[in-house]
Amino acid sequence: MNAPKTLRPIEILMVEDNPGDVRLTREALKGGKVWNEIHVVADGVAALDFLHHRAPYEEAIRPDLVLLDLNLPKKDGREVLAAMKADESLKTIPVVILTTSQAEEDVIRAYNLHANCYVTKPVDFEQFTRIVQAIEQFWLTVVTLPPRS
């Protein structure tokens, strides 16, 4: 289990422009078993600024996991994913695509860009909560995450 081994919070970067989905995700993770810190940015440009420690994110901690929506303003999630996986310093960060898109072309493109998994957001609150808790269970307690260095 990651939490006992690390004795530090799991840092999650959520790239999401829908405040309702951010709130639901925070609530679903709040009751979880893993100590986590959720950092939220609302567009793809801010996500890359966060990951590269550019203003105003100079003090940002490297995330252990990225929850990435595809349909974002300024720079979409596909562009963010491509940039992350092309960057030697970022490519080992697991990226979970968490989006409303069920389009086969989006699924294929995300995996071609080396997304670690693709999850379609359900509309129903209870199902959304279960999905986020399943992501937490798998990615934060089962999987060994790469070191932040």
Side-chain angles (χ1 to χ4, degrees), residues 80-135:
V80 172
L81 179 61
M84 285 183 68
K85 296 306 181 176
D87 186 315
E88 284 296 317
S89 67
L90 302 176
K91 72 179 181 180
T92 59
I93 299 172
V95 178
V96 174
I97 302 299
L98 185 59
T99 187
T100 56
S101 174
Q102 296 179 358
E104 185 176 307
E105 66 189 48
D106 283 337
V107 175
I108 291 168
R109 184 164 180 210
Y111 282 117
N112 282 338
L113 291 170
H114 306 288
N116 296 89
C117 72
Y118 192 103
V119 179
T120 302
K121 295 177 197 171
V123 179
D124 176 77
F125 168 75
E126 287 182 25
Q127 287 180 333
F128 187 92
T129 300
R130 277 196 300 273
I131 292 287
V132 171
Q133 290 170 343
I135 290 169

Side-chain angles (χ1 to χ4, degrees), residues 13 39-61 74:
L13 174 60
H39 310 275
V40 178
V41 295
D43 65 69
V45 170
L48 292 173
D49 288 346
F50 185 100
L51 291 164
H52 288 289
H53 307 284
R54 295 187 291 244
Y57 306 104
E58 295 91 346
E59 302 300 318
I61 295 174
K74 297 185 183 179

Side-chain angles (χ1 to χ4, degrees), residues 6-81:
T6 61
L7 297 177
R8 62 169 171 76
I10 300 299
E11 302 288 338
I12 300 169
L13 174 60
M14 183 174 194
V15 187
E16 174 60 66
D17 63 327
N18 182 324
D21 287 350
V22 171
R23 184 180 48 77
L24 290 175
T25 302
R26 284 186 186 276
E27 286 299 316
L29 291 172
K30 190 183 292 184
K33 298 174 182 158
V34 178
W35 181 28
N36 62 69
E37 291 288 330
I38 303 173
H39 310 275
V40 178
V41 295
D43 65 69
V45 170
L48 292 173
D49 288 346
F50 185 100
L51 291 164
H52 288 289
H53 307 284
R54 295 187 291 244
Y57 306 104
E58 295 91 346
E59 302 300 318
I61 295 174
R62 176 188 168 94
D64 297 298
L65 180 69
V66 174
L67 301 177
L68 180 62
D69 188 15
L70 291 182
N71 303 311
L72 299 166
K74 297 185 183 179
K75 189 176 286 253
D76 75 18
R78 297 155 198 85
E79 294 172 285
V80 172
L81 179 61

